[in-house]
Amino acid sequence: MFQTLYSYFWWERLWLPENVTWADLEDRDGRVYAKASDLYITLPLAFLFLVVRHLFETYVATPLAGLLNVKEKIRLKATPNAVLEKFYAATTKHPKQADVEMLSKKSGCTVRQVERWFRRRRNQDRPSLLKKFREASWRFTFYLIAFIAGMAVIVDKPWFYDLREVWKGYPIQSMLPSQYWYYTIELSFYWSLLFSIASDVKRKDFKEQIIHHVATIILISFSWFANYIRAGTLIMALHDSSDYLLESAKMFNYAGWRNTCNNIFIVFAAVFIVTRLVILPFWIMHCTLVYPLDLYPAFFGYYFFNVMMVVLQSLHIFWAYLIIRMAQKFITGKARGGLGSDREETDNSEEEEEEAAKNGPLSNGHPILNNNHRKTD
């Protein structure tokens, strides 16, 4: 049974054009070709990335946060209450007015006390400013290094300047060591993001992030199996070109450097729009949709690869809409508190702020900024 499924999965017509077999992609005469088994190492490397990330956040990001004066906001803890805690855990964290009145009667608290309890209880579950800064620092570091490494891998290749060269000789295109390591590191990193997404800061685009990570992993893996390596390296470098800008904007956001954050975000928005809404669909996707048909008839791999590209492009359009809205607010001066999707995660009511002010400082002297993370990645 397993052997039958294995045979169907690796049927050559799924992965390769007509008249091409796996035997044509066997190593010979010093030429090495991509193999599915090459990617097995990405899973253990993903866990190694998680270990490196922990060490980086502990010994690099945390001291950096101290240098930038990133400090925690004092949060008032909710008084233990079994009735309210049970409702919070089992029903909803945001009770309606009717629920508040019902809980008031059951718990013996006033309506105002119940509302305050839920606000404080939600605050306890929200990620700390330091946690968000550490995450942004790690991703900034990786994306910046990945972008520089990716450009080094492709900038001297003929297909970087002439996209028709992407398909020259396809699929009998040998693999370069630099391409192997670029693919391995990128795929391992996205596996690590998928493994850690449940424990990372949960944002409003959580579902879109999962779709993005899964689509990226499938696209990278499939492009390797079908020997779409040249196109794959171009796509990965294109995506890394804007991601580090977003993460750096978030870092300055958490540090309270509002003007710097906003300026970097506007640059990020411009780069994101040019790369994801212009270069990707009109150059790269045109390259993967049109040029291959000049060389061979469309096959399953051709359709599958381009469908996954459309999925990613749809996510880019969704995020671009949100990014443009935020950039407009920065340019017109209507944005308050920096990047704004975490407002529900960090804002306290005026009543709580006034009460906390009586007991101690709320912040490090900078405005508590919000973060709107809409990405790739």
Side-chain angles (χ1 to χ4, degrees):
M1 178 66 177
F2 177 79
Q3 187 61 39
T4 301
L5 292 175
Y6 183 86
S7 300
Y8 277 121
F9 183 80
W10 292 111
W11 183 39
E12 289 158 338
R13 294 289 69 80
L14 291 178
W15 303 93
L16 301 172
E18 290 183 12
N19 303 321
V20 179
T21 67
W22 293 119
D24 296 320
L25 298 178
E26 291 181 357
D27 300 344
R28 62 173 65 88
D29 301 327
R31 295 169 64 91
V32 179
Y33 297 92
K35 305 174 188 62
S37 58
D38 293 334
L39 299 185
Y40 291 159
I41 194 175
T42 60
L43 291 176
L45 280 180
F47 288 102
L48 179 60
F49 259 118
L50 294 177
V51 174
V52 173
R53 171 181 172 174
H54 174 74
L55 296 174
F56 176 89
E57 291 183 350
T58 302
Y59 297 106
V60 178
T62 300
L64 179 61
L67 291 175
L68 293 177
N69 206 27
V70 177
K71 295 182 179 178
E72 293 305 330
K73 191 174 186 178
I74 294 178
R75 292 175 176 173
L76 300 175
K77 293 185 177 180
T79 304
N81 188 303
V83 174
L84 301 182
E85 185 66 39
K86 181 179 179 181
F87 187 91
Y88 180 89
T91 307
T92 179
K93 299 178 181 180
H94 299 271
K96 297 180 180 179
Q97 188 60 34
D99 296 325
V100 171
E101 293 174 359
M102 178 269 294
L103 291 170
S104 175
K105 295 176 181 178
K106 283 188 176 182
S107 63
C109 301
T110 66
V111 169
R112 195 171 187 80
Q113 288 174 331
V114 172
E115 291 172 343
R116 183 185 298 122
W117 188 93
F118 273 91
R119 284 197 300 271
R120 293 180 180 177
R121 185 63 182 83
R122 287 193 297 268
N123 281 339
Q124 290 177 216
D125 288 346
R126 288 165 185 157
S128 68
L129 197 64
L130 179 59
K131 177 178 174 63
K132 290 187 283 188
F133 180 87
R134 285 162 45 145
E135 281 189 18
S137 300
W138 164 247
R139 297 189 186 195
F140 164 77
T141 302
F142 176 83
Y143 289 135
L144 180 59
I145 294 175
F147 175 63
I148 295 172
M151 293 304 297
V153 167
I154 64 175
V155 73
D156 62 337
K157 306 300 187 295
W159 55 86
F160 181 72
Y161 305 95
D162 181 2
L163 292 180
R164 289 189 179 274
E165 290 286 333
V166 168
W167 306 108
K168 186 176 181 179
Y170 180 84
I172 314 300
Q173 296 174 337
S174 58
M175 173 189 66
L176 302 174
S178 59
Q179 293 172 325
Y180 168 78
W181 285 110
Y182 188 30
Y183 258 78
T184 299
I185 292 172
E186 286 275 354
L187 184 55
S188 300
F189 179 74
Y190 277 101
W191 273 120
S192 74
L193 289 184
L194 190 62
F195 294 155
S196 65
I197 196 168
S199 59
D200 288 344
V201 175
K202 189 172 181 179
R203 307 186 187 280
K204 290 183 178 180
D205 59 351
F206 178 75
K207 293 180 181 178
E208 289 82 4
Q209 285 289 341
I210 293 179
I211 294 172
H212 175 270
H213 295 340
V214 171
T216 301
I217 289 170
I218 293 174
L219 191 59
I220 293 176
S221 301
F222 182 86
S223 66
W224 183 265
F225 299 159
N227 213 22
Y228 275 38
I229 296 177
R230 294 181 181 180
T233 54
L234 292 174
I235 294 167
M236 290 188 294
L238 189 70
H239 280 72
D240 289 336
S241 64
S242 61
D243 291 341
Y244 69 90
L245 291 170
L246 175 62
E247 300 303 329
S248 63
K250 290 163 59 181
M251 291 170 62
F252 286 113
N253 178 29
Y254 302 138
W257 296 29
R258 181 172 178 177
N259 291 334
T260 304
C261 163
N262 294 352
N263 291 333
I264 293 177
F265 185 82
I266 291 172
V267 174
F268 157 74
V271 174
F272 185 96
I273 291 169
V274 170
T275 56
R276 310 291 180 93
L277 299 189
V278 179
I279 296 177
L280 185 64
F282 296 106
W283 271 268
I284 304 299
M285 291 183 68
H286 181 268
C287 169
T288 61
L289 278 168
V290 177
Y291 294 162
L293 299 181
D294 295 338
L295 303 175
Y296 54 81
F299 63 106
F300 174 80
Y302 165 87
Y303 291 115
F304 184 82
F305 182 86
N306 284 292
V307 166
M308 296 308 298
M309 288 290 291
V310 170
V311 171
L312 280 183
Q313 187 59 40
S314 299
L315 289 170
H316 296 157
I317 294 171
F318 166 75
W319 281 316
Y321 167 72
L322 299 170
I323 289 168
I324 291 171
R325 286 181 58 190
M326 183 57 62
Q328 285 177 334
K329 292 180 180 179
F330 289 154
I331 294 172
T332 59
K334 295 180 180 179
R336 297 180 179 179
L339 303 170
S341 81
D342 281 346
R343 177 169 300 180
E344 290 184 356
E345 296 180 359
T346 56
D347 280 354
N348 290 323
S349 67
E350 292 181 5
E351 178 184 350
E352 283 190 297
E353 290 179 348
E354 290 172 0
E355 187 171 350
K358 297 175 183 178
N359 300 316
L362 277 175
S363 68
N364 59 3
H366 296 291
I368 301 301
L369 303 179
N370 303 313
N371 171 54
N372 187 354
H373 175 43
R374 299 295 189 199
K375 155 175 172 324
T376 77
D377 163 164

